[in-house]
Amino acid sequence: MSVRRSHYLALATLLLAVMRPGFADSPWDCIERAGAGWECTSKVSPDGTTAETPDNGTNSIPADETPPPASAVETPAAAPDAAASPAAVTGPLDTPAAQPIATGATPAPVVQPTDTGTPPKPADSGFAEADVAETGTTAATDNTDTEVADTDTADTDIADTDTPAADEERWSQCPPAPLPEHLAAIDDPDTVDLRADNIQASSERVFTLSGDAVIRYGEQQLQAGSIIYKRADGELAAGDGVRFAGPNLVVTADNALIETQAERGRLENITFTVPGQHARGRASALGFEGAMRQYLEQASYTACPPDNEDWLLTSKKIELDQARGSGEARNAKITLKGVPLLYTPYISFPLDDRRKSGLLFPKVGTTDETGLDISLPWYWNIAPHRDLTLTPRLMTDRGVMMGADFRYLNRRSSGSISGEYLASDKEFGDQDRSLVRIRHSGNPVPRLSTRIEASNVSDTSYFEDLGSTLVQTSQTSLERTAQATWHGDSWQAGITVQDFQNVDSTLSSADRPYKQLPQIVFSTAPDKRILGLQASAEAELNYFTHSNNTLVTGSRLDLTPRISLPLERPGWYIKPTVAVRHTVYRLDNTGAGMPDDPVRTLPIATLDMGTVFERNGSWSGRPYIQTLEPRLFYLHVPYKDQGNLPIFDTDNYDQNFWSLFRENRFSGPDRMGDANQLAVALSTRIVDPASGRQLLSASIGSLLYFRDRTVILPGETVDTLDSSDLIGELSVGLSRRWSALGEVHWNPHTSQSVRNNVQLQYRAGPRRLLNLGYRFRDDIQEQADLSFLWPLGRAWHAVGRWYYAIDDNETIEALAGLGYERCCWGIQILARSYINNDDQARNTAVFVQLELKGLGKLGSSVDDALERGILGYQAAN
């Protein structure tokens, strides 16, 4: 005889994560081995100690026979009366062990495709789905299409799960979740173990288990006061208190009736806990019809600890469809402290990591520019690799805006198309306003990559009025680029077309960037060397146009072949290099007396050499390795008058430590700086030899000039100094909590600092963060930046930022907020004031965000504002 695993399918599917401890263990084991009959052994020897399981098939019965009542089973002599002896029965079980599903930022009870009684993921499809569309769903790749994922990490991500530290911090206000003991799985995964104080079997093959009856299979266990199993019709009845335990799930019920052959059943008056997700709930009944469809009646769910229901999700009836990965709830209501937050007569929600169409959490806020600002996104899961989010946005001072974001992720391409449209802006002369953005990256064939980045706004004030970040409001132009690149074995070639839309009304037409229609680039660096020589080359062909018809336009070809002879040995290197830069123009709209086809050819010679010294040391008994790395870089480029060359895309490089080793002090080919100079630099590092962690890095260097720099950009003067600023950079981990970054530019000719940048950070955890920053550039800016996130007791925390322009006596941005947090919910209030445009106009915004842990976040995106404004801030999603 064999007991089919599918007979216990309905109960097995309640499995999720850690095991509940302490089920009573029977002193008798009776196991039906596949093909070997029944085997019953006593675990108690005559002296009361645990006996070893015999290796032979003692007390076995052929598998095709019904096992006799316990009293008829031959037992060891030391066993108690067989009629009253505990017994056990085993048989195959084919229900696979379920695995927890990562659901991104909304931990909740998760139901596997085979679950038949697991409580549903909170009824938030509409509402917990916000994290699916905004923070994401893990992307899965197949042969054709994949799950949608946002390719821009600076924007939204469809695959964002919690870090362990953030998850631990989220539940830090809660009492410890129970951690049940691990119940070792049965050695044979195809067996089911039945145990009880007494097992009776009738001639009609009705098995009666009474007195601490236990059904165990894998790491799952069902316990009841009594269990009756009718093998003929596959009916299983459990009563006198039912308890099911599996990894990360415990379910109790008054009784259970399961028709295993018809895959139907019902459990009355159930409670469930999911310790790993801090979740629990109850229902008047749990039923199932087939392995993939279940329902709960009068159900409730919360992530609050026992005896606490600060927030509660209730529903009259919940229906779960595992095949489709979705559920439906009727008369669903969410309450906080007994106050209703949300009610809906019907919602649909996801059960697993498959995305689900529906409403997302609304966002509510207020700003000076928009008034009361309410957004209600709706997410449409078009296909596994495509989705669309539609966002109606009500701004009381301006009107109603409609936003849309379409995303796709195919096997060889990914991207998004998004836009916003505001009809008849009441604060902008009733004009229509809009924004469109396209992002695309692809790999249509091997070795070929493509990229498209294009944006357009209706007017230059769009971001000032409707943008929500300092980055947006400070933009001067929007890029429009299409690019294709072919990657060879030792070369690559690409073509780019590029245009810009000006969004800065103060920028004159002559100062706007040129369009490149197109730019063609080629570079090669063969691995093969001849006589140790390493050859490489770069080439670039551009055609420049401009919206201002009075400016010079035309084409430019720039070629730079080079040859070097690297000599590298342990501890030192020398790399001499020679190159030639040849640039040819074909120009239109040139001024009087200016050539239409100027040509420039210049040789370039460099000598790069350095050494690395290393020593071992110790500090307070801790060993470390210190390096000392001197470096010399000589550059020679002869002078050539380049005043007849146009300026298409060239500017001065921003000077820093690594700019000391550049061949050209200009960023583009329109100027090749004359040079006879030597860079002298020294770096040192301190490294922990055990972990490899860099504890300190410090560098200092300067340029020594052997002649004046005569090649300049229009409006500049010739540089006649004999040395550059002395540039120093420092990065140090003062401890595991303190870190510091610093950059100093010191002018030896005036004995003054001309540029300082210092950043000090203290970070002792997600809720203990302090940043101090200072930025200074002579005659340009002097700014101080202070930001913090700090606890004010166990439940309260404060957050703030003060970004101040010392030279202008003006606050650039100020943030101030308070947060209150309990075990299962929290609320944050944030006020933000910032400069909105070059006219120093200010905008003030207020954000309120309510989080129901384990369910989702309601309100404004406070986390987004803090992550942008406070270095090191990480939201617990």
Side-chain angles (χ1 to χ4, degrees), residues 627-643:
T627 67
L628 192 65
E629 307 168 28
R631 182 181 180 184
L632 298 175
F633 182 82
Y634 176 75
L635 170 66
H636 185 274
V637 180
Y639 167 75
K640 186 171 184 177
D641 183 11
Q642 301 170 44

Side-chain angles (χ1 to χ4, degrees), residues 638-642 665-666 670-674 708-713 716 718:
Y639 167 75
K640 186 171 184 177
D641 183 11
Q642 301 170 44
R665 61 181 177 270
F666 300 105
D670 297 319
R671 292 292 183 270
M672 183 68 209
D674 56 325
D708 297 342
R709 276 71 61 215
T710 309
V711 177
I712 57 175
L713 292 173
E716 296 182 346
V718 173

Side-chain angles (χ1 to χ4, degrees), residues 822-843:
R822 303 295 295 171
C823 167
C824 57
W825 69 280
I827 187 169
Q828 291 192 84
I829 301 175
L830 179 71
R832 178 173 180 250
S833 174
Y834 59 97
I835 293 177
N836 201 31
N837 53 36
D838 292 337
D839 297 330
Q840 305 299 304
R842 304 196 65 84
N843 190 12

Side-chain angles (χ1 to χ4, degrees), residues 364-444:
V364 181
T366 179
T367 72
D368 289 342
E369 296 289 346
T370 64
L372 181 62
D373 195 337
I374 303 173
S375 298
L376 184 60
W378 182 78
Y379 179 78
W380 180 17
N381 180 32
I382 301 172
H385 61 294
R386 295 186 181 93
D387 64 14
L388 173 67
T389 303
L390 298 175
T391 307
R393 179 183 176 188
L394 172 63
M395 296 170 284
T396 55
D397 289 351
R398 294 188 175 272
V400 178
M401 171 184 283
M402 176 58 72
D405 184 13
F406 171 73
R407 300 184 298 181
Y408 58 92
L409 178 58
N410 302 319
R411 187 164 62 100
R412 293 191 177 275
S413 65
S414 63
S416 64
I417 303 173
S418 57
E420 299 172 345
Y421 179 76
L422 172 62
S424 302
D425 187 345
K426 292 183 289 185
E427 295 290 323
F428 201 71
D430 288 329
Q431 295 184 31
D432 296 346
R433 310 183 74 180
S434 63
L435 163 67
V436 177
R437 186 181 68 179
I438 299 174
R439 291 180 176 179
H440 171 88
S441 61
N443 182 215

Side-chain angles (χ1 to χ4, degrees), residues 105-108 162 164-177 274-279 301-305 311 767 794 821-825 851-855 876-877:
T106 310
D162 298 332
D167 189 67
E168 180 181 349
E169 173 66 20
R170 176 192 288 131
W171 302 104
S172 61
Q173 301 282 352
C174 299
V274 190
Q277 295 176 341
H278 293 260
Y301 165 80
T302 185
C304 298
W311 73 261
R767 295 295 184 188
R794 180 171 174 80
E821 186 172 6
R822 303 295 295 171
C823 167
C824 57
W825 69 280
E851 179 182 9
L852 305 181
K853 299 181 184 180
L855 189 62
N877 293 319

Side-chain angles (χ1 to χ4, degrees), residues 66-96:
T66 302
S71 57
V73 178
E74 182 181 351
T75 60
D81 181 25
S85 298
V89 182
T90 62
L93 175 70
D94 57 13
T95 301

Side-chain angles (χ1 to χ4, degrees), residues 705-710 712 717-723 749:
Y705 299 119
F706 305 122
R707 74 160 183 248
D708 297 342
R709 276 71 61 215
T710 309
I712 57 175
T717 58
V718 173
D719 187 356
T720 60
L721 298 176
D722 58 5
S723 67
H749 306 284

